[in-house]
Amino acid sequence: MTTLGDRVLDQPLPKIGEKSLFTKDLEDALMSKNVDFVVHSLKDLPTTLPDGLVIGAVFEREDPRDALVLNEKFKEYSLSTLPSGSVIGTSSLRRTAQLNGNYPQLKVVDVRGNLNTRLRKLDDEDGKYSALILASAGLSRMGWGNRMSKVLPCSEMLYAVGQGALAVECRADNEEVLAMLAPFNHPETYCRVLAERSFLKTLGGGCSAPVGISTKLKQNDNVYKLTLTGAVWSLDGSTKLEETLDQTFGQIRKTVKHKLSPTEEASSKKIKTDKTVEADNEIAVLNRRITDKTGDLGCEDLAPNVADRRCFCGLTTNVNMPIDVVIKCDNLGRDLANSLIDKGALEVMKISHDIIRSSIGKKS
C-alpha cells in the first residue's frame, strides 16, 4: 500500500502539513478491518496512536544510526573534508540541523523519493548531490550495505526516535493477533524504543522540530544499564540542548541477538549469510507459530488479560519483561525530556515550528 508520504514527493516532509504521513492510509485499512495488522518503520509511528490501535510487537532492532553515502567522485572524502559548498541531500530536519551545526561549510538540500530514487539522484553524473544521509538499517535491509561510505557515530549524528526498528500495529481488541505477536516483542529493543518514544511524547516533537536520540543498554554482571541521550536543535543548528540520563535494572529477559542487528556502536561488522536459506527458515518459523493450535509455543500464556494490558506511548505491555522495567523505561524518557524542557527546549522547538508553519503559509 502507498501512503500520503509516498505519493507527495515534490515537497519536504514538514511542509506537507499533515501528521502520520506514512501511516494513516495503513491505519485506515486496519480500523476498517480490511487487514489484521500492519508493519511500519517505528520512527514513522506517532507516539500517540488512533483510539483502538496499539503496537503489538517491536522486532529486534537493526543498527539505528545514520550512514553517509558519497557520490563516486567523492568516495575518498568525509563530511569534514568535502569541498566547501558541497550539497548533502536529506529530507530530515534532524539531520539538517546537525549538519548545519557541525558542518556549516556544506549546503543541505532536500531530497525525496524511495531509496532507489535517492541513490539514482546521487549517482546522476549531472546531479547536484555530493552525498546523502540515509538510515543504515534501510540500506542494509535492501541489500545495499555496500553503498554506505561511513556509519555515522552518535557523537556526530544522533538518530531518530525508533529508527532501525520495525513495529507491528494491530487493533487493541484483537486478542488473537496480540497473542500471536507477543513472542516477537523483543525486550531489549522494546526497552530502548519505549524510553525514546516517552522522551519524544513529553517534548511534543515530531517532524516539525529537530529532535535526536541515542540509547545504549549494557549488562555488567547481573545489572543492566540503560543510557539515554537526547537533544533538540534550532533549524539552523546554531542552538543545541542536550542531556543524558541512565537507569539500572536487575533483570531484563533478552532473546539471542540477531547477527545483523548490532546494538552497540562497535558492532558494525558485516557477516555474509545465505539470505535465501535464512529467509526460508524464518518464514517456516513464522508459519509454525501462526498455524500451531497446540499451545506449545506459549502464546496463550504470554497474552495478558485484557484488564491487565496497559499501553505505553502506543506500545502494548511487553509480557516478555517485568512490568517494573517497562515503567522505569517510560519514566526515564519522560525525565530526560523534562530536563531539556528546564533548559528551554520547548521555546527552541516552538521557534522551529513557527518557521515551518510560516513557510507552509507562504507556499499556499
Side-chain angles (χ1 to χ4, degrees):
M1 295 179 65
T2 58
T3 64
L4 180 61
D6 299 313
R7 295 190 294 270
V8 181
L9 298 175
D10 60 346
Q11 299 180 53
L13 293 175
K15 292 188 177 182
I16 298 176
E18 295 285 344
K19 294 182 179 180
S20 307
L21 292 174
F22 294 99
T23 61
K24 187 177 184 302
D25 296 277
L26 301 175
E27 289 173 335
D28 288 345
L30 189 57
M31 288 188 286
S32 63
K33 298 188 177 181
N34 289 325
V35 298
D36 295 303
F37 57 83
V38 293
V39 181
H40 304 278
S41 291
L42 181 58
K43 69 175 183 178
D44 293 334
L45 275 173
T47 53
T48 300
L49 300 182
D51 290 341
L53 300 183
V54 294
I55 298 170
V58 180
F59 290 106
E60 188 167 5
R61 192 179 209 170
E62 298 282 348
D63 189 335
R65 294 172 294 170
D66 285 320
L68 173 67
V69 182
L70 290 163
N71 182 291
E72 184 67 19
K73 294 181 292 187
F74 300 100
K75 64 179 182 179
E76 303 300 326
Y77 288 79
S78 65
L79 286 171
S80 59
T81 60
L82 279 169
S84 180
S86 294
V87 175
I88 312 299
T90 179
S91 59
S92 162
L93 291 180
R94 170 186 56 83
R95 294 170 182 149
T96 298
Q98 292 182 82
L99 288 169
N100 286 336
N102 295 331
Y103 307 101
Q105 77 279 12
L106 302 177
K107 182 179 180 181
V108 184
V109 174
D110 186 73
V111 59
R112 294 290 315 282
N114 57 31
L115 281 178
N116 311 55
T117 302
R118 297 187 195 194
L119 291 173
R120 187 165 60 249
K121 291 178 180 179
L122 175 67
D123 296 335
D124 186 348
E125 291 185 2
D126 300 319
K128 59 186 175 182
Y129 299 103
S130 301
L132 302 176
I133 305 295
L134 301 168
S136 63
L139 288 166
S140 295
R141 288 192 184 108
M142 293 297 293
W144 298 331
N146 62 313
R147 293 300 307 264
M148 289 188 271
S149 305
K150 177 185 179 182
V151 176
L152 300 175
C154 293
S155 58
E156 193 171 351
M157 181 76 66
L158 293 182
Y159 46 81
V161 166
Q163 185 163 311
L166 296 178
V168 187
E169 188 180 18
C170 63
R171 292 183 293 277
D173 61 356
N174 194 331
E175 294 299 317
E176 184 178 3
V177 169
L178 284 166
M180 185 183 70
L181 294 175
F184 301 100
N185 212 355
H186 186 254
E188 182 188 61
T189 301
Y190 184 100
C191 185
R192 296 171 66 194
V193 300
L194 172 55
E196 294 173 17
R197 286 174 66 81
S198 178
F199 166 74
L200 185 63
K201 183 175 182 177
T202 305
L203 284 177
C207 288
S208 61
V211 177
I213 199 76
S214 170
T215 53
K216 296 179 182 178
L217 182 61
K218 294 185 177 181
Q219 181 182 8
N220 186 12
D221 295 326
N222 294 322
V223 176
Y224 295 90
K225 182 179 180 181
L226 175 64
T227 302
L228 186 65
T229 298
V232 172
W233 295 264
S234 59
L235 288 177
D236 63 3
S238 61
T239 299
K240 176 184 179 182
L241 303 176
E242 185 176 86
E243 188 67 67
T244 299
L245 293 178
D246 57 57
Q247 175 68 62
T248 56
F249 314 99
Q251 177 186 2
I252 293 180
R253 285 183 56 195
K254 297 172 63 176
T255 60
V256 178
K257 190 167 76 170
H258 192 287
K259 57 191 173 185
L260 292 182
S261 60
T263 57
E264 304 300 336
E265 292 213 16
S267 303
S268 298
K269 294 181 179 179
K270 296 179 180 178
I271 302 174
K272 293 184 178 180
T273 61
D274 186 332
K275 293 184 180 298
T276 302
V277 173
E278 186 177 273
D280 288 344
N281 289 340
E282 290 178 354
I283 291 172
V285 170
L286 286 168
N287 284 335
R288 283 201 303 273
R289 287 184 182 272
I290 292 169
T291 59
D292 185 7
K293 304 299 183 182
T294 66
D296 292 341
L297 290 168
C299 291
E300 292 80 2
D301 295 332
L302 282 170
N305 295 326
V306 176
D308 297 333
R309 183 174 285 122
R310 299 173 60 180
C311 190
F312 298 85
C313 301
L315 297 160
T316 191
T317 305
N318 189 330
V319 296
N320 305 305
M321 53 196 298
I323 187 62
D324 66 300
V325 173
V326 175
I327 293 172
K328 286 181 178 179
C329 292
D330 187 35
N331 289 339
L332 178 62
R334 188 180 302 112
D335 291 343
L336 181 67
N338 286 327
S339 296
L340 284 179
I341 290 172
D342 290 340
K343 291 183 175 182
L346 295 184
E347 289 78 6
V348 173
M349 294 173 67
K350 184 179 184 303
I351 292 172
S352 298
H353 182 68
D354 290 345
I355 292 173
I356 293 170
R357 285 184 61 86
S358 176
S359 65
I360 294 173
K362 291 178 180 178
K363 187 176 183 63
S364 59

